[in-house]
Amino acid sequence: MHHLGGTMRHTIAHAVSSGVLLLLAGTACTAGNTVTTKPNDSKPSAPGSSRAAQPTASRAKTAAVGDTITLKGTNKGEQLDITVKRWLDPAVSANEFSAPQDGSRWAAAQFELVNTGSAPYEDSPSNGAQASDTDGQRFATTFGEITAGPLMPASAKIPPGDKALGWILFEVPKTSKITTVQFTMDSGFADQTGQWSVK
């Protein structure tokens, strides 16, 4: 009987440790959400600069307009190199029929999405973008036409190796100072988010 009790204790201990491992594995899967502000290190050094400290400083900087961040989607093989090409604040309406509401203005980020993954990327890119101001208020995207150029397509289908370029429009209070824009793949549901400073 004593031997049976020892076997049962061993079985219970094994079951408990397996349960703890499963719990930790589940936690690791749900704790994957990250926001990165670090740009890819793809920019060449400034002309005439030969100091080794400069590339190190540029790698540590916060992503800004012109910088690229690589993000992965929720599906296997989904990966984009995302660049905020230009920031426009305020953005001007292209026609008299669409305009921001009273007390608001439009601001816009021109995003370039390059599919560097092995799977096609199909999404509504503007669903995964938002802007935030110095007070921490976050603003979703809106629809409209602006003089700067075409908006990002409402439904983008980007095969591997191809890209999409377009403006994503935000409606923000006139008094807000927008400081960052974010982009998350898969309509905002992917685990990785890129953030760029637009100050």
Side-chain angles (χ1 to χ4, degrees), residues 11 27 100 115 149 169:
T11 303
T27 303
N115 188 340
L169 191 59

Side-chain angles (χ1 to χ4, degrees), residues 129-176:
Q130 63 178 238
S132 63
D133 67 9
T134 53
D135 294 328
Q137 297 179 98
R138 298 192 176 267
F139 305 99
T141 58
T142 190
F143 296 100
E145 293 179 35
I146 58 174
T147 58
L151 296 182
M152 184 65 73
S155 178
K157 296 177 182 176
I158 311 169
D162 208 348
K163 64 183 174 182
L165 176 71
W167 291 93
I168 293 181
L169 191 59
F170 305 94
E171 186 163 336
V172 301
K174 283 185 177 176
T175 56
S176 287

